[in-house]
Amino acid sequence: METRLNYIDGAWTPPSSGTYAENVNPADVRETVGRVPLSTPEDADAAVRAAHRALPAWRAASGAVRGAMLLQAALLLEERAEDVARSIAKEMGKTLAEARGEAQRGAAILKYYASEGLRANGEHIPASDGTSLLFTKRVPLGVVALITPWNFPVAIPIWKLAPALAYGNTVVLKPATNAGLTAARLAELFDEAGCPPGVVNVVHGSGSDIGGALTAHPLVDGVSFTGSNAVGSRIARVASERGAKYQLEMGGKNAVVVWEDAELERAADLVVSGAMKSAGQKCTATSKVIVALSAKERFTSLLLERLRAIRVGDGMDPDTYVGPVATPAQRDAVLQAIRRGAEEGARLLYGGGAPDRPELQAGCYVEPTLFDRVTPEMSLAREEIFGPVLALMEANDLDEAIALANGTEYGLSASIFTGSLKTAMTFANRVEAGMIKVNGETAGVEYQAPFGGLKKSSSHSREQGRAAMEFFTHTQTISISV
């Protein structure tokens, strides 16, 4: 069993509390996979002050210098991708195949931002007097706190870390406690890549203690958060009261519309993939599928055929398609949402409980679950579940289908399956989502493209791609008279 420490000012540092949390394997909670610190606000303060001291030199470093460090971190992550993937699978239950993909994605993001410092970061503007030089440039935000969840313990920290560092900021990362072992591996990569002391700091601990201390800290210039709406709302309030910049990516209730002219076999494959991979623990996971009435019987049959073929099990088993959810508390919350759906009158077509195979009894497993006869007022149609649960709805026409897709306070991702360009464009123009796909699953976005949602899914900024510059920098306007 490994014991990890905080990473502050280039040194591995024990928590001032002297206490640690034990992380267990969600595939078998009897197995403890490691310990991570339960730090105090004093530890968070030490990390912020280290980042603040390191800021002037890192800010002054050229884009090429910053990029060289990010590229080296990418190469190290590629070398150790298998070890990182196994850490992900053992710590939070993701299948090994998905964990390998996440590690490779992290390396790709680092490579993308390694060249960002050499791209244009301002514009020349014609001056009204015709002789002055008028231009803009982007400058770093400053010290940035990054608060990240457990469901993508490599990809999400990196898609915040990489642009923050590329644009000249210094950072304090507060990972989810039950993803702390994996986060420590990321800190090792940056350390070995030659990251100067204080530029990257990692502090482990509870969100209320460490996340709250970082958000309220007067030396933290910005907070980038991915997680629940309840926590995000608190971060927004505290940060805005002291004038700090904040970026929030939160929940989703992502709909797929399967229209009467869709390729139903393809649609069924991608709906199941979007809903069930990562045990449904993605903010972009497919959560409800709205089917044209004329196609519903055939499409339901195809869904059931695929769900019956799914193997639930330990993510380390190469035959597993759906691994455990991340924690016992998460399993209980998902099972409670399933019970509530049945109590509200939805018809359970498949799954609905924990698997009964003896070898899975010590794990945090939930069966792939499909409900039918879901109506707009039901919780299954409106609330995020974050588990392998799919709600099936029907629509008589496209207007009704779009209204059902929009019938939630979230607006992250949405998709339609259709063979008609007119239908696709009508959907794209009217659906309330930050990311829209045609003939693709709701989950997943390319790292070079903006990521974020509408309504209560985000604070309306965007992550990834060049859009990340908007949060991690300020614009300066400069006029030079000659």
Side-chain angles (χ1 to χ4, degrees):
M1 182 177 67
E2 60 181 315
T3 296
R4 290 295 188 165
L5 304 176
N6 294 322
Y7 181 68
I8 299 174
D9 207 12
W12 297 99
T13 308
S16 58
S17 66
T19 59
Y20 296 80
E22 291 190 349
N23 284 1
V24 300
N25 181 357
D28 186 339
V29 297
R30 297 169 298 185
E31 178 189 356
T32 300
V33 295
R35 302 194 311 158
V36 296
L38 287 174
S39 303
T40 67
E42 289 72 26
D43 299 316
D45 176 70
V48 171
R49 293 187 182 280
H52 184 68
R53 288 192 299 271
L55 180 61
W58 187 247
R59 176 187 178 122
S62 70
V65 167
R66 299 176 201 149
M69 189 277 290
L70 292 174
L71 179 59
Q72 184 59 32
L75 297 175
L76 289 169
L77 180 52
E78 285 181 328
E79 287 178 9
R80 299 173 193 177
E82 184 66 17
D83 175 64
V84 171
R86 289 182 176 274
S87 176
I88 296 170
K90 293 288 279 188
E91 191 169 31
M92 61 78 56
K94 191 170 290 190
T95 66
L96 194 52
E98 288 186 83
R100 287 171 176 148
E102 183 177 344
Q104 292 297 332
R105 179 188 174 95
I109 295 169
L110 287 165
K111 287 182 178 180
Y112 175 87
Y113 285 106
S115 61
E116 186 65 7
L118 298 177
R119 298 187 181 108
N121 72 346
E123 61 179 345
H124 171 251
I125 304 167
S128 58
D129 64 9
T131 61
S132 296
L133 177 62
L134 183 62
F135 63 98
T136 65
K137 69 173 183 176
R138 293 282 186 165
V139 296
L141 180 59
V143 175
V144 184
L146 311 177
I147 303 174
T148 59
W150 43 260
N151 59 327
F152 284 90
V154 168
I156 292 179
I158 285 179
W159 83 43
K160 296 178 187 293
L161 277 163
L165 298 173
Y167 297 127
N169 302 278
T170 55
V171 302
V172 179
L173 171 65
K174 206 301 284 184
T177 300
N178 61 316
L181 302 174
T182 303
R185 282 172 167 76
L186 296 183
E188 286 178 339
L189 295 176
F190 284 103
D191 185 72
E192 293 181 38
C195 185
V199 171
V200 173
N201 305 273
V202 181
V203 182
H204 304 270
S206 73
S208 57
D209 288 337
I210 307 306
L214 292 173
T215 303
H217 202 291
L219 295 180
V220 170
D221 300 291
V223 181
S224 181
F225 167 80
T226 298
S228 72
N229 284 71
V231 175
S233 295
R234 291 197 294 273
I235 288 172
R237 183 176 65 254
V238 173
S240 61
E241 284 176 352
R242 63 179 190 83
K245 203 171 182 180
Y246 63 89
Q247 176 184 67
L248 313 174
E249 290 299 337
M250 299 174 287
K253 187 67 178 179
N254 311 297
V256 166
V257 170
V258 178
W259 211 235
E260 53 199 1
D261 57 355
E263 296 179 26
L264 295 184
E265 296 272 356
R266 177 186 181 189
D269 287 339
L270 292 176
V271 165
V272 168
S273 174
M276 299 299 159
K277 282 187 175 177
S278 294
Q281 298 171 119
K282 300 177 182 179
C283 57
T284 55
T286 303
S287 188
K288 58 184 180 181
V289 55
I290 301 152
V291 187
L293 189 59
S294 60
K296 186 184 175 191
E297 183 177 353
R298 171 63 177 153
F299 187 72
T300 302
S301 176
L302 291 171
L303 284 181
L304 287 169
E305 178 183 296
R306 284 154 177 77
L307 291 175
R308 292 185 183 112
I310 284 177
R311 178 173 176 80
V312 178
D314 190 333
M316 301 295 286
D317 182 341
D319 294 327
T320 292
Y321 189 90
V322 173
V325 297
T327 65
Q330 183 66 18
R331 175 198 58 204
D332 294 345
V334 174
L335 292 175
Q336 175 58 33
I338 291 170
R339 287 192 293 271
R340 183 179 174 191
E343 291 166 358
E344 290 176 350
R347 181 175 68 168
L348 182 64
L349 294 183
Y350 188 80
D356 58 6
R357 287 172 22 221
E359 68 272 24
L360 302 184
Q361 296 313 295
C364 304
Y365 295 99
V366 178
E367 294 174 309
T369 297
L370 177 65
F371 279 99
D372 189 13
R373 297 179 184 172
V374 176
T375 56
E377 71 280 0
M378 292 180 179
S379 57
L380 289 169
R382 296 180 292 105
E383 298 177 9
E384 185 176 44
I385 296 174
F386 228 60
V389 181
L390 186 61
L392 188 59
M393 308 175 79
E394 61 187 45
N396 291 294
D397 56 42
L398 189 59
D399 288 341
E400 183 181 11
I402 293 171
L404 291 171
N406 289 338
T408 173
E409 64 184 4
Y410 300 112
L412 183 52
S413 182
S415 175
I416 188 168
F417 287 87
T418 178
S420 165
L421 180 59
K422 180 179 179 181
T423 299
M425 290 308 300
T426 299
F427 178 82
N429 288 330
R430 291 171 54 193
V431 73
E432 297 167 350
M435 298 183 296
I436 301 165
K437 295 188 180 182
V438 176
N439 297 325
E441 64 179 77
T442 59
V445 65
E446 297 194 53
Y447 56 81
Q448 70 272 27
F451 174 84
L454 307 181
K455 301 195 284 190
K456 290 189 177 181
S457 285
S458 83
S459 58
H460 312 298
S461 61
R462 292 292 179 265
E463 297 190 276
Q464 302 200 77
R466 297 222 78 201
M469 184 188 294
E470 293 294 329
F471 178 75
F472 287 111
T473 67
H474 291 301
T475 298
Q476 286 184 327
T477 301
I478 300 169
S479 177
I480 302 176
S481 296
V482 296

